[in-house]
Amino acid sequence: MSTGDAQVARPGAFQASGRANLRRAVRGQAGTLRAQFTLVIFLLAFLPNLVLSVGAAGANPTSALALWLTLVAALCGGVGYLLSGVLLRPLRRLEGEVGAGSFAQPHADDPAEIRALRGAFTGLLERLSTEQERRGAFMATLVHDLRTPLIATGHLSRLLGQGALSAEQRREVAGEVERENARLLALVAQMADAHRFEREEVQLSPSPTDLGALLEEVARRLSPQADVRGLNLTATGTGHAPADAAVLERAVTNLAANALRYARTRVELRVTPQGLEVRDDGPGLCAPLSELAQPFNAQPATIAGQQYAAGMTGLGLFIARRVAEAHGGALEYRRDAASPLPTTFCLLLPEVTP
């Protein structure tokens, strides 16, 4: 094809493109709710007139009848178009408000369906905002709480590498590195559990479990942490229940570790007819359990005078709550100022056999 031929062919291509765009526009308009409402109103108004007019004319239709039906069709179409606009006005208004991001307040002429849509959109935005806050808290946890043990481990490793320490000092530094590493691994495991339990159901493999032996094992593993703070950690009571021992032990460990962090002198793990209790003489929660037992809580908290970054204050409580719920129970919190151990977390379990 020559250059001249190509130049002659372009107007036809533009015309074809214009016709295609027009067809798409017509199809788009025909697919709108307003077009469908207009058609329904038109048919409801025009078909009875058509039947009556044709029935009255019998076998001798006239041009006057055709003109009359044309006028009636035009009138029915116009009325249908106007009425459809009135009916869809709240929906079009809601569309504009959604685009502007301001749709929470209903209008006096909003029908019930539009009010329901406003409520659904508002709830969706609130959930998205909560998810965004939790993601931000998760990043804050990564930056703050993972960085601290990593920096400490780096400093201790440089001390070991300098070679100027005595054998006793090297053992102390190596022990500190091991503790920081254990702290880091525990934090990573806790965050992984919280993320998994937030996304999916807790998978259990229940079997008859000795609850007393489970608490004794938790106390044994946490005894070094209690010794460091000079706390008395005990496990009392006996009982059995159908449970996933590994998952349940993880939940109790989270509760006991929190208690050891805030207790003043003593922490007690106890089996009761209702389930498992973790009691301590610490200051208790700084906010309701329902607010704190959330994954990656977006708000920082101050507990016993110590500031905790956003994202960390509720991980252990959230994991314990999800584990209790997976076993058919719940997590409860009680505070009794008159008791020697005023703070009590109850991990309720069904079917506990003393």
Side-chain angles (χ1 to χ4, degrees):
M1 180 182 293
S2 66
T3 303
D5 292 337
Q7 291 174 348
V8 171
R10 283 185 186 129
F14 283 132
Q15 292 173 1
S17 176
R19 287 194 296 271
N21 290 334
L22 179 61
R23 285 195 297 270
R24 282 195 294 270
V26 171
R27 285 197 298 268
Q29 289 295 325
T32 63
L33 276 176
R34 185 165 191 179
Q36 295 172 15
F37 275 35
T38 300
L39 178 61
V40 170
I41 296 172
F42 167 78
L43 292 176
L44 290 175
F46 179 69
L47 287 180
N49 284 281
L50 176 63
V51 172
L52 291 174
S53 299
V54 172
N60 301 310
T62 63
S63 57
L65 176 62
L67 178 60
W68 166 251
L69 289 177
T70 301
L71 292 174
V72 170
L75 180 62
C76 291
V79 171
Y81 186 79
L82 292 175
L83 288 179
S84 65
V86 173
L87 291 172
L88 293 175
R89 181 174 59 190
L91 187 60
R92 292 200 310 272
R93 182 172 57 201
L94 177 61
E95 178 188 6
E97 292 174 351
V98 169
S102 176
F103 53 83
Q105 295 299 323
H107 297 270
D109 59 340
D110 279 346
E113 292 79 4
I114 297 299
R115 291 175 180 268
L117 275 177
R118 290 182 185 276
F121 283 136
T122 302
L124 177 60
L125 280 186
E126 289 176 353
R127 290 194 296 274
L128 290 175
S129 177
T130 300
E131 288 297 320
Q132 184 66 26
E133 290 177 353
R134 288 180 178 174
R135 298 289 79 77
F138 180 78
M139 293 306 299
T141 302
L142 284 176
V143 171
H144 181 273
D145 294 276
L146 292 182
R147 182 180 61 182
T148 301
L150 288 174
I151 292 175
T153 302
H155 290 325
L156 294 171
S157 299
R158 281 194 292 273
L159 285 176
L160 287 175
Q162 290 174 358
L165 301 177
S166 64
E168 180 64 25
Q169 289 174 330
R170 283 198 299 271
R171 281 193 294 271
E172 291 180 2
V173 171
E176 189 64 29
V177 170
E178 185 177 355
R179 285 189 292 272
E180 289 293 339
N181 186 64
R183 176 187 171 192
L184 181 61
L185 290 176
L187 177 60
V188 170
Q190 195 176 51
M191 293 174 65
D193 286 342
H195 187 267
R196 185 172 72 255
F197 292 168
E198 181 189 16
R199 296 292 178 181
E200 59 191 37
E201 293 297 322
V202 182
Q203 301 299 319
L204 300 179
S205 299
S207 61
T209 301
D210 186 339
L211 301 178
L214 184 147
L215 293 187
E216 290 176 359
E217 175 61 20
V218 172
R220 184 192 65 80
R221 289 196 294 106
L222 293 179
S223 59
Q225 182 177 336
D227 294 340
V228 169
R229 293 205 59 218
L231 301 175
N232 182 22
L233 174 61
T234 60
T236 62
T238 60
H240 292 76
D244 189 316
V247 176
L248 188 59
E249 182 177 331
R250 197 179 319 165
V252 176
T253 299
N254 284 331
L255 295 176
N258 282 343
L260 289 173
R261 186 176 298 119
Y262 306 123
R264 296 185 178 95
T265 61
R266 185 156 62 100
V267 175
E268 179 184 349
L269 313 180
R270 187 170 66 172
V271 181
T272 72
Q274 290 75 38
L276 304 176
E277 288 186 356
V278 177
R279 307 176 67 198
D280 66 85
D281 57 355
L285 296 182
C286 60
L289 179 63
S290 59
E291 294 181 12
L292 287 179
Q294 298 293 336
F296 312 113
N297 197 303
Q299 299 299 324
T302 301
I303 303 176
Q306 185 174 355
Q307 183 75 18
Y308 289 87
M312 273 305 296
T313 54
L315 286 184
L317 295 176
F318 170 72
I319 293 171
R321 176 173 67 82
R322 294 289 285 118
V323 170
E325 292 170 350
H327 283 87
L331 179 66
E332 290 186 355
Y333 166 73
R334 294 197 300 265
R335 178 77 180 171
D336 182 7
S339 172
L341 297 174
T343 300
T344 302
F345 287 95
C346 305
L347 205 157
L348 303 179
L349 298 172
E351 303 178 20
V352 176
T353 304

